[in-house]
Amino acid sequence: MSYEVTVEPTGDVIEVEEGQTILDAALRQGVWLPFACGHGTCATCKVQVLEGEADLGNASTFALMDMERDEGKVLVCCAMPESDMVIEADIDVDPDFQGHPVRDFVGRVTEIVDLSPTIKGITLALDDSMAFQAGQYVNLTIPGVEGTRAFSIANTPGDSDRLELHVRKVPGGAGTTWLHEQLKEGDSLDVSGPYGQFFVRKSDDRGTIFIAGGSGLSSPQSMILDLLSEGDTRPIYLFQGARNVAELYNRDVFEALAAEHDNFHYIPALNEPREDENWHGFKGFVHEAAVQHFDNRFNGHKAYLCGPPPMIDAAITALMQGRLFEQDIHMEKFLTAADGTDDQPRSALFKRI
């Protein structure tokens, strides 16, 4: 059995199978709805039900309060129709968003490398080409692990028949632990994608500032390689943060790019370098490196942030103090299961990730 869901104000009509979420059906049919976390904790995908009924699924009481439930609001990443429906969504599609439909793939592991003591690079050969925008992510189904896990794509859209993923081993994380300790070359994994609205606004030719921490380097790597491969001449800055030299992975890649392209600038920052590493670069947090480099004046740029929540929050504060505001700051927080709790604070400045 399936149900028809009409999306207002666009008038798009999607077919939703029984037990399927509204968001999953929409993305697979090329209908864009705003979303971020995809598992009922961030409230980005909240819509108003105008007609019909739905099972609310696992929407958290933090993201969807009791009062909102009584008013007929649902989170489309969790809600499953129980009848034909009409919903009203706050749709504001960016003109640079390409809106590739989500599809299912099988990826065969062709390479596993140690990028750092805590991060592995995993390359998958896909059974079909995946159209995506640089900065988007995929979901992996991991054997023996409930649900899926999201990982950003590190290669460029021109490499559409493979995926490069950077996987940090999360302490206590069942999915990343399995990928680090059990996955072998030759194994196959189920993949779905692409997901996300983290991408470069190419129609805006102002200089771009990328601030990345940990395995959050993956999305900026894809975005920067994509821009440079197209011959983009705008000023591009990458601030990469890590604890020490051992964790500062792919440094050689970006130093080579900086030597090759006059418009690309690479500034690494270490907040806890070891004495034996003889580090002569910036010492401190990555947002502090950006503040120093730009003398706390960021206006006239677009900023793209990717990494753990504390890094994102610190970078937002620094950028806004340096006269860069919401419309020019785009981000992707790397959330783990521990981050998705109901007592997590939410920024009052940003409606979506």
Side-chain angles (χ1 to χ4, degrees), residues 298 315-326 329 349-350:
F298 299 106
I316 290 172
T317 300
L319 291 168
M320 296 191 76
Q321 288 175 345
R323 306 294 294 173
L324 197 66
F325 300 113
E326 178 177 356
I329 302 174
L349 300 171
F350 290 87

Side-chain angles (χ1 to χ4, degrees), residues 179-197:
L179 293 172
H180 270 248
E181 298 180 359
Q182 303 296 324
L183 187 67
K184 306 183 300 298
E185 291 184 6
D187 288 348
S188 293
L189 294 171
D190 291 333
V191 182
S192 65
Y195 296 97
Q197 287 89 45

Side-chain angles (χ1 to χ4, degrees), residues 208-226:
T208 57
I209 300 170
F210 294 94
I211 301 179
S215 59
L217 179 67
S218 49
S219 289
Q221 174 175 302
S222 176
M223 298 155 98
I224 291 166
L225 291 175
D226 184 47

Side-chain angles (χ1 to χ4, degrees), residues 210-346:
F210 294 94
I211 301 179
S215 59
L217 179 67
S218 49
S219 289
Q221 174 175 302
S222 176
M223 298 155 98
I224 291 166
L225 291 175
D226 184 47
L227 287 171
L228 294 177
S229 70
E230 293 181 343
D232 199 292
T233 58
R234 79 188 71 198
I236 302 169
Y237 300 86
L238 171 61
F239 295 88
Q240 181 187 5
R243 178 170 296 175
N244 50 50
V245 169
E247 292 290 349
L248 191 69
Y249 74 94
N250 282 2
R251 174 186 175 190
D252 56 339
V253 172
F254 295 107
E255 288 178 340
L257 288 172
E260 182 180 352
H261 299 274
D262 291 340
N263 63 317
F264 175 62
H265 311 275
Y266 174 57
I267 303 94
L270 302 183
N271 64 296
E272 292 183 13
R274 298 196 302 261
E275 289 186 10
D276 61 355
E277 292 176 330
N278 197 28
W279 174 251
H280 297 294
F282 185 87
K283 296 180 182 179
F285 291 106
V286 66
H287 68 280
E288 296 170 335
V291 169
Q292 182 188 83
H293 187 88
F294 282 95
D295 194 25
N296 201 30
R297 296 174 184 173
F298 299 106
N299 53 308
H301 295 84
K302 299 283 281 185
Y304 300 89
L305 321 177
C306 194
M311 186 219 82
I312 295 288
D313 294 341
I316 290 172
T317 300
L319 291 168
M320 296 191 76
Q321 288 175 345
R323 306 294 294 173
L324 197 66
F325 300 113
E326 178 177 356
Q327 66 270 22
D328 292 320
I329 302 174
H330 309 278
M331 72 199 81
E332 179 129 284
K333 289 187 179 182
F334 271 34
L335 297 169
T336 67
D339 298 309
T341 57
D342 284 1
D343 58 356
Q344 284 290 109
R346 295 181 65 222

Side-chain angles (χ1 to χ4, degrees), residues 35-260:
F35 76 100
C37 75
H39 48 74
T41 61
C42 76
T44 303
C45 68
K46 190 180 300 177
V47 302
Q48 178 69 50
V49 176
L50 302 179
E51 297 178 19
E53 302 292 334
D55 180 340
L56 300 184
N58 294 322
S60 79
T61 54
F62 171 74
L64 189 65
M65 296 181 290
D66 290 341
M67 177 181 65
E68 294 174 313
R69 296 169 191 243
D70 293 339
E71 293 172 348
K73 292 183 171 62
V74 301
L75 303 183
V76 293
C77 72
C78 299
M80 294 170 284
E82 295 180 325
S83 69
D84 290 346
M85 298 177 65
V86 179
I87 61 174
E88 184 177 37
D90 182 13
I91 297 176
D92 181 18
V93 181
D94 191 289
D96 286 310
F97 181 56
Q98 296 172 5
H100 298 295
V102 170
R103 298 168 54 210
D104 295 320
F105 302 84
V106 176
R108 180 176 55 84
V109 180
T110 59
E111 185 178 37
I112 303 175
V113 297
D114 290 325
L115 296 175
S116 83
T118 61
I119 299 171
K120 286 188 181 292
I122 299 173
T123 302
L124 303 172
L126 299 176
D127 60 341
D128 196 5
S129 295
M130 176 191 292
F132 67 93
Q133 279 184 271
Q136 291 191 292
Y137 69 90
V138 295
N139 282 336
L140 295 187
T141 299
I142 301 172
V145 178
E146 184 179 358
T148 59
R149 297 295 185 272
F151 298 98
S152 291
I153 305 169
N155 54 290
T156 67
D159 246 350
S160 59
D161 59 353
R162 76 179 188 98
L163 295 175
E164 178 187 337
L165 310 176
H166 300 169
V167 180
R168 180 177 72 89
K169 187 177 182 181
V170 178
T176 59
T177 297
W178 192 93
L179 293 172
H180 270 248
E181 298 180 359
Q182 303 296 324
L183 187 67
K184 306 183 300 298
E185 291 184 6
D187 288 348
S188 293
L189 294 171
D190 291 333
V191 182
S192 65
Y195 296 97
Q197 287 89 45
F198 188 55
F199 53 88
V200 176
R201 275 62 180 176
K202 293 182 179 180
S203 63
D204 187 325
D205 61 2
R206 284 178 291 173
T208 57
I209 300 170
F210 294 94
I211 301 179
S215 59
L217 179 67
S218 49
S219 289
Q221 174 175 302
S222 176
M223 298 155 98
I224 291 166
L225 291 175
D226 184 47
L227 287 171
L228 294 177
S229 70
E230 293 181 343
D232 199 292
T233 58
R234 79 188 71 198
I236 302 169
Y237 300 86
L238 171 61
F239 295 88
Q240 181 187 5
R243 178 170 296 175
N244 50 50
V245 169
E247 292 290 349
L248 191 69
Y249 74 94
N250 282 2
R251 174 186 175 190
D252 56 339
V253 172
F254 295 107
E255 288 178 340
L257 288 172
E260 182 180 352

